[in-house]
Amino acid sequence: MTIFSAQKRPRTEADACDFLCAGAQKAGTTWLWANLGQHPQVKMPLVKEVHYFDRLYLGTDIPTNVDQHREAALACAAKLKGAEAANFRAIAQGCDAPDDGWYRRLFAQRGGKFSGDITPAYLCLGLRGVQHVQRLSPNLRVIILVRDPQSRMTSGLAMSMARNPGRIPMRILENWQFQERGNYAAHIPIWDHIFGDQVRYIPFGRIRTAPRDVLAEVEAHIGLESFGGYENPAQVHNSFPPAEGLAAGVLQRIEQIAARQSAYLLERFGADFCAEI
């Protein structure tokens, strides 16, 4: 396991970005984006979820995300001149077939600030995907938000049903990527193996009970100075009410899938941590 001291924060321009939140989905990533974007030492990329590595390793295809990157990059280019404008034009031109150079350009003009990628799909990149992340940013600080597996799946199911009316709940539930996005047992060991104690795991429930403490923990992990100016850090983001009228078979399947994940989390993190997820 890599030993990585918080007091000796290596940060070089060789790293594509400085920090990365790899999920989990429906575990507070939008909350983290909204708050870190307020920190004066942080410059976030054009779009909340970059979806670079999951396009390569999970086959993710989100045309709206591609369009958002292109439109935002062109808007920035229109306001700038010279090399800065050229960088954003290159981002716009590379949106349909992004490569490592494209990914680096997203963070190239951070102006001495810290910048990061918050894409919850990254949790389940697999070994090759996480190794790729490490090659581009060897000094990266990783944050993984951990939510109770059953609650996370129920919330994710509600979001998917709200966004895709008419879809059959059991088909959503049995989709491999839906399950993998919360498969802590399979993927946390990979992040541990590649990044060691460069990874900070934070229980989702602590965001609700002590949001400022969580932000202080994140600041320290990334290497930021303490900031007291967050506006309404207790605000809930991107929340979906529980899906109603789910069949007993769907609820039983959720419990079955979640049970394995809960057992793993208890073994990996202990009872105190799990009491807060």
Side-chain angles (χ1 to χ4, degrees), residues 98-138:
D99 57 15
D100 288 355
W102 179 88
Y103 187 75
R104 287 184 178 280
R105 289 188 189 97
L106 292 177
F107 310 97
Q109 294 174 206
R110 53 192 187 263
K113 295 186 177 184
F114 290 79
S115 191
D117 181 352
I118 299 180
T119 305
Y122 290 171
L123 176 69
C124 56
L125 287 176
L127 179 60
R128 291 178 60 243
V130 179
Q131 288 173 329
H132 192 166
V133 173
Q134 199 271 344
R135 286 198 301 273
L136 291 187
S137 301

Side-chain angles (χ1 to χ4, degrees), residues 132-147:
H132 192 166
V133 173
Q134 199 271 344
R135 286 198 301 273
L136 291 187
S137 301
N139 299 305
L140 189 72
R141 286 300 179 98
V142 179
I143 300 158
I144 295 179
L145 306 172
V146 180
R147 184 174 182 177

Side-chain angles (χ1 to χ4, degrees), residues 70-81:
R70 182 181 294 106
E71 291 167 6
L74 291 175
C76 289
K79 299 175 184 178
L80 300 169
K81 297 180 179 180

Side-chain angles (χ1 to χ4, degrees), residues 11-93:
R11 180 180 181 277
T12 70
E13 293 303 317
D15 291 318
C17 62
D18 304 295
F19 64 89
L20 179 146
C21 178
Q25 186 187 52
K26 306 308 298 173
T29 57
T30 302
W31 172 86
L32 186 63
W33 163 273
N35 283 283
L36 280 182
Q38 300 175 43
H39 197 292
Q41 287 181 287
V42 172
K43 182 177 178 61
M44 300 304 289
L46 297 170
V47 178
K48 172 187 173 266
E49 297 186 12
V50 174
H51 285 292
Y52 175 57
F53 297 104
D54 55 311
R55 286 184 71 175
L56 297 179
Y57 294 96
L58 302 176
T60 302
D61 181 17
I62 307 177
T64 55
N65 183 269
V66 174
D67 292 341
Q68 288 171 354
H69 274 94
R70 182 181 294 106
E71 291 167 6
L74 291 175
C76 289
K79 299 175 184 178
L80 300 169
K81 297 180 179 180
E84 291 183 333
N87 180 70
F88 284 109
R89 285 194 295 270
I91 291 173
Q93 292 168 0

Side-chain angles (χ1 to χ4, degrees), residues 26 147 150-162 238-246 251 254:
K26 306 308 298 173
R147 184 174 182 177
Q150 186 167 336
S151 176
R152 193 209 68 79
M153 290 186 72
T154 301
S155 179
L157 183 60
M159 179 180 72
S160 185
M161 292 173 66
N238 201 26
S239 177
F240 288 81
E244 298 181 354
L246 293 176
L251 297 175
I254 290 174

Side-chain angles (χ1 to χ4, degrees), residues 127-266:
L127 179 60
R128 291 178 60 243
V130 179
Q131 288 173 329
H132 192 166
V133 173
Q134 199 271 344
R135 286 198 301 273
L136 291 187
S137 301
N139 299 305
L140 189 72
R141 286 300 179 98
V142 179
I143 300 158
I144 295 179
L145 306 172
V146 180
R147 184 174 182 177
D148 170 72
Q150 186 167 336
S151 176
R152 193 209 68 79
M153 290 186 72
T154 301
S155 179
L157 183 60
M159 179 180 72
S160 185
M161 292 173 66
R163 292 178 174 177
N164 303 277
R167 287 193 66 187
I168 298 173
M170 187 63 83
R171 289 185 179 177
I172 297 172
L173 191 59
E174 296 297 352
N175 177 274
W176 73 271
Q177 197 164 136
F178 179 86
Q179 292 191 24
E180 285 303 298
R181 287 193 176 195
N183 192 348
Y184 302 115
H187 299 293
I188 281 178
I190 295 173
W191 287 95
D192 283 343
H193 174 66
I194 300 301
F195 280 102
D197 60 0
Q198 288 171 243
V199 185
R200 179 61 54 90
Y201 297 99
I202 297 175
F204 173 77
R206 197 178 293 166
I207 296 174
R208 181 181 64 255
T209 60
R212 292 187 185 277
D213 290 347
V214 172
L215 289 169
E217 184 177 356
V218 170
E219 289 169 346
H221 183 58
I222 294 174
L224 302 171
E225 295 178 5
S226 178
F227 176 58
Y230 297 107
E231 296 182 7
N232 195 14
Q235 181 179 348
V236 176
H237 295 266
N238 201 26
S239 177
F240 288 81
E244 298 181 354
L246 293 176
V250 173
L251 297 175
Q252 291 171 359
R253 183 63 175 139
I254 290 174
E255 292 178 3
Q256 180 185 36
I257 296 170
R260 174 173 175 263
Q261 300 304 324
S262 296
Y264 168 78
L265 292 175
L266 183 61

